[in-house]
Amino acid sequence: NSVAGTNPDNQAPVLSRADAVDSINVLLSFNEQLDSISAATAMYSVNNGITILLDSVMTSKTVKLTLGSELQKNVIYTVTVSGATDCVGNFLGAENTAVFALPEQGIPGDIIINEILSDPIESGSDFIELYNNSDRFINLNGWQLAAMGTDTIDDFESISSSSYVLFPGDYVMLSTDTANIKATYPLANSSSFLQMDGFPTYSNDNGTVILINNLLEVSDSVTYDVSMHFSLLNDEEGVSLERMDFDRPAYEKTNWHSAAEAIGFATPGYKNSQFNPGDTITDEINVLPEVFSPDNDGFDDVVNISYSFDVAGFVGSIYIYDSKGRLVKSLVQNDLLGTSGTYSWDGTIENGEKGRIGIYVIFFEAF
């Protein structure tokens, strides 16, 4: 057993992140405590001709760099650290560089809710995954998660008390117990984990997840319930709901699907197993793929029914019939449509069972 012998620390420390606090200050974060003297005497450098006026040890795991010139927008910089050691003398290894950029103000819709685990396994931890669906570098300091109380937004919890800049196209997984998430989902990308001090209370079966930016504006919100899961699952415990298309509305329930079994029922910190963006619409109504396999393996689990009209104001209904002409699913009934959009069908019929293998007819009524 490990407790029966010595366990020396032979692991080199790692520069985990670099985040620009403002135009002249950058916060470096390490994965373990550094020797304070080595952190103060280490060599720090930034590319693109940026000089460093001062390096300040903030905590045992963080160092702040004060730069000699201001950072420019939309430029990615690289910082390199050498000479720093942990408390037992292991020198910083090959993972001694990190990239950062000057953050910009995010507007509603820039950062979206991308994955929800509200019913963890046994005593495990909930998680919410966010995605930066913009071309801006956005600092999550000052952003909050919240829930819906009685007719009002409630239960606010701060996402980060220090700088954490989310790059365009990047994911971040939020939880109060990131170690539990990593242990439960071994394929998870732990480098995209951010541990929160507190978490809003989200019911296992239904609730509303609300993302609030630093200006107290709602950036995104999702009302979820257990019926959004793939109905053929034996148990929804430990299964996350994944967003299939970044650009489809979060409130559209057919834009969410249970994570695939093949990847362990969740994808914290990386691309969703059920990611399935709407295709380019060439006709008024498009149906793709024409052959799909709703077995929750992450491949062609749903069929997308997309529409595009010249004018707004249509009301639409979508009905699914089997090859004998029998109605098996009322997918949409009297929805107010935009000029374009997408609905998804997961192959289940009205009684919650999976439809039989065969040909189906989609009847899209718009008036």
Side-chain angles (χ1 to χ4, degrees):
N1 290 345
S2 62
V3 294
T6 59
N7 292 280
D9 177 7
N10 296 318
Q11 298 296 315
V14 171
L15 175 59
S16 303
R17 291 188 59 84
D19 294 284
V21 179
D22 51 41
S23 61
I24 60 169
N25 291 290
V26 179
L27 186 68
L28 308 184
S29 301
F30 298 85
N31 70 325
E32 64 172 311
Q33 295 182 0
L34 297 182
D35 175 74
S36 58
I37 296 177
S38 76
T41 58
M43 300 295 295
Y44 303 92
S45 62
V46 177
N47 66 343
N48 291 335
I50 301 293
T51 58
I52 298 174
L53 297 181
L54 180 67
D55 54 83
S56 308
V57 178
M58 305 301 291
T59 69
S60 60
K61 291 185 178 182
T62 58
V63 174
K64 185 177 77 172
L65 303 181
T66 302
L67 309 179
S69 54
E70 292 192 348
L71 301 174
Q72 301 300 308
K73 288 184 178 181
N74 300 316
V75 177
I76 298 177
Y77 299 88
T78 301
V79 59
T80 303
V81 183
S82 59
T85 69
D86 62 16
C87 294
V88 297
N90 294 313
F91 277 91
L92 200 67
E95 297 180 71
N96 65 336
T97 64
V99 294
F100 63 93
L102 182 65
E104 305 169 65
Q105 178 59 51
I107 62 175
D110 280 355
I111 296 182
I112 60 175
I113 299 165
N114 191 54
E115 188 172 0
I116 301 169
L117 178 70
S118 61
D119 187 6
I121 296 174
E122 298 178 349
S123 60
S125 178
D126 294 0
F127 77 74
I128 303 295
E129 182 189 77
L130 307 179
Y131 175 77
N132 187 345
N133 196 33
S134 75
D135 57 0
R136 283 181 274 271
F137 300 84
I138 300 175
N139 192 347
L140 294 181
N141 185 15
W143 288 57
Q144 301 174 86
L145 284 181
M148 181 61 71
T150 305
D151 299 326
T152 185
I153 299 175
D154 199 3
D155 204 3
F156 293 83
E157 293 288 350
S158 175
I159 290 178
S160 177
S161 59
S162 61
S163 290
Y164 188 102
V165 179
L166 192 62
F167 277 40
D170 274 2
Y171 304 84
V172 60
M173 190 284 302
L174 309 175
S175 175
T176 56
D177 191 349
T178 55
N180 169 261
I181 301 301
K182 180 61 179 175
T184 307
Y185 305 102
L187 298 179
N189 178 18
S190 57
S191 65
S192 298
F193 285 10
L194 177 57
Q195 183 150 319
M196 294 172 54
D197 295 330
F199 215 65
T201 300
Y202 298 122
S203 166
N204 288 354
D205 295 334
N206 59 77
T208 301
V209 181
I210 304 173
L211 176 63
I212 309 291
N213 71 10
N214 58 318
L215 300 179
L216 299 182
E217 301 168 323
V218 175
S219 182
D220 199 13
S221 67
V222 178
T223 298
Y224 66 90
D225 64 67
V226 70
S227 69
M228 295 162 66
H229 276 289
F230 188 49
S231 62
L232 300 182
L233 290 174
N234 292 327
D235 189 354
E236 295 83 17
E237 186 178 86
V239 182
S240 72
L241 279 171
E242 295 182 330
R243 189 173 186 152
M244 294 193 295
D245 190 339
F246 302 138
D247 298 320
R248 286 172 61 186
Y251 60 77
E252 171 51 60
K253 289 190 174 183
T254 68
N255 194 23
W256 295 85
H257 197 281
S258 303
E261 182 177 2
I263 49 78
F265 291 117
T267 53
Y270 64 104
K271 181 180 176 181
N272 289 346
S273 62
Q274 301 292 4
F275 181 65
N276 187 13
D279 297 275
T280 302
I281 303 174
T282 56
D283 300 309
E284 282 193 323
I285 307 295
N286 273 31
V287 177
L288 288 172
E290 293 186 357
V291 178
F292 74 116
S293 54
D295 53 6
N296 208 45
D297 66 348
F299 179 73
D300 287 346
D301 283 336
V302 300
V303 58
N304 283 339
I305 306 164
S306 303
Y307 66 89
S308 178
F309 302 131
D310 293 333
V311 295
F314 279 96
V315 172
S317 299
I318 301 177
Y319 303 100
I320 313 294
Y321 294 86
D322 66 14
S323 59
K324 302 292 186 181
R326 294 171 295 202
L327 178 66
V328 296
K329 182 78 170 182
S330 298
L331 186 66
V332 175
Q333 290 184 295
N334 298 323
D335 269 17
L336 180 61
L337 306 178
T339 54
S340 63
T342 300
Y343 292 97
S344 301
W345 179 43
D346 64 0
T348 58
I349 57 180
E350 291 292 0
N351 61 7
E353 297 179 357
K354 183 164 63 176
R356 295 180 178 181
I357 294 173
I359 294 173
Y360 288 83
V361 177
I362 297 172
F363 179 66
F364 195 128
E365 181 182 53
F367 62 93

